[in-house]
Amino acid sequence: MAIRTPWEPNQRIEHGYFRSLQGITVHLREAIKSETDPFKIVRILKTILNTPAFHRYAQETALRMVTNLFVSNAKSWREAARQSSKSRIIYNALQRELQGPVGGAVSFQIQRNAELIKTLPLDIAGRVTDYISEESFKGRRAADIAENIQRMFPENSKAKAQLIARTEVSKTSTALTRARAENIGLDWYEWRTSEDQRVRSSHKHMDRVLVRWTDPPSPEELIGERSYGHYHSGDIFNCRCYPAPLTGIDRVSWPHKVYMNGTITMMTLSQFRQLAA
Ligand SMILES: [Zn+2]
């Protein structure tokens, strides 16, 4: 059994975000409810995207998710502070943080997520268009096609909503942890995985490896796979890994695996101290 750490991303927030994204679909279905012309349905879906009400909804949904993560991530830091010699520094930073780089990270994530939410209606409109051309080709009546389109909701956005919720909660969580860590001069973190069957092999290879915020690895390259570029723990699609900031050198056992400049090396504490100095 894996021991839970305070840094693990909050699944409750992920589920809540998913439900809000699906809520958009319910709203869209409502807007096309009495339509019998399939092409008009597509037009309506595309128009909704540009309404102020939809923009407001996207903004509020993103704001709620990021704020929830912000609060839950702060709790992780307070928990870490209790076990760390740097507790005073961490507490003080949490008090002042919204004025500094952390506040910047928060508003950046809200904007990014709001933009992503706005892609949902377009994604659905695209699916509906494909569906219309397939069905018309089969010679089906427009009204029947329109009726089926209504029934496709909210299933037709489920996969996309799930991908957004999982990926974005993880990415935002990593961004908040990073902003808070760098703000108080914690340069290193330990790459943690969810430690279950679904962890991809490239990330399994990174489990418990120490990484510096300024030097992200390409986990795929490290095991000879095609690279997705260099990125931090949790900062890629469908990833449930997370960074656990190294709040004290005694927080991990030594010797320990360290990633640096494209390779993973087993290092003793004194080797690591020279590096971190
Ligand atoms: Zn991962």
Side-chain angles (χ1 to χ4, degrees), residues 144-165:
D144 292 343
I145 297 175
E147 202 187 308
N148 272 23
I149 291 172
Q150 320 262 7
R151 275 207 288 269
M152 282 159 63
F153 286 83
E155 274 307 299
N156 56 359
S157 68
K158 194 175 171 192
K160 176 94 192 245
Q162 246 158 5
L163 175 69
I164 293 181

Side-chain angles (χ1 to χ4, degrees), residues 124-271:
I124 294 173
R127 269 168 223 277
V128 169
T129 308
D130 289 346
Y131 182 75
I132 294 172
S133 54
E134 278 165 31
E135 294 304 298
S136 330
F137 189 70
K138 290 182 199 158
R140 289 190 56 208
R141 283 177 46 227
D144 292 343
I145 297 175
E147 202 187 308
N148 272 23
I149 291 172
Q150 320 262 7
R151 275 207 288 269
M152 282 159 63
F153 286 83
E155 274 307 299
N156 56 359
S157 68
K158 194 175 171 192
K160 176 94 192 245
Q162 246 158 5
L163 175 69
I164 293 181
R166 183 175 308 136
T167 303
E168 292 313 308
V169 165
S170 185
K171 279 189 169 190
T172 304
S173 186
T174 293
L176 288 175
T177 301
R178 176 178 189 168
R180 280 172 164 144
E182 291 194 317
N183 194 26
I184 53 174
L186 297 177
D187 298 334
W188 295 85
Y189 71 84
E190 194 181 24
W191 185 301
R192 303 294 283 266
T193 69
S194 56
E195 295 183 335
D196 61 23
Q197 296 298 320
R198 289 189 294 165
V199 178
R200 54 193 108 178
S201 47
S202 54
H203 290 189
K204 205 177 240 169
H205 189 68
M206 288 304 301
D207 194 30
R208 310 265 163 167
V209 174
L210 290 175
V211 175
R212 208 189 325 225
W213 288 113
T214 50
D215 180 22
S218 164
E220 285 68 34
E221 236 167 65
L222 285 169
I223 61 164
E225 283 180 5
R226 193 171 63 87
S227 178
Y228 289 126
H230 291 248
Y231 56 87
H232 288 296
S233 187
D235 202 17
I236 193 154
F237 59 90
N238 268 333
C239 174
R240 287 164 306 127
C241 301
Y242 56 94
L246 192 62
T247 52
I249 217 146
D250 55 343
R251 301 307 303 164
V252 296
S253 58
W254 297 94
H256 205 88
K257 285 183 192 166
V258 178
Y259 170 83
M260 233 186 68
N261 299 327
T263 44
I264 297 174
T265 323
M266 194 60 128
M267 280 190 195
T268 63
L269 180 53
S270 67
Q271 280 171 323

Side-chain angles (χ1 to χ4, degrees), residues 13-71:
I13 297 175
E14 183 188 317
H15 294 151
Y17 196 34
F18 169 70
R19 277 196 304 275
S20 306
L21 296 178
Q22 283 297 71
I24 292 175
T25 317
V26 172
H27 176 73
L28 295 177
R29 185 181 52 193
E30 215 38 48
I32 59 160
K33 209 164 65 180
S34 49
E35 274 312 319
T36 51
D37 175 357
F39 291 101
K40 195 148 178 229
I41 291 181
V42 174
R43 271 202 304 281
I44 293 173
L45 290 175
K46 286 183 175 165
T47 314
I48 285 179
L49 184 65
N50 298 312
T51 62
F54 181 69
H55 284 204
R56 219 165 28 242
Y57 187 87
Q59 194 74 20
E60 275 162 18
T61 304
L63 179 75
R64 192 169 343 112
M65 183 277 277
V66 176
T67 310
N68 285 343
L69 271 182
F70 178 75
V71 171

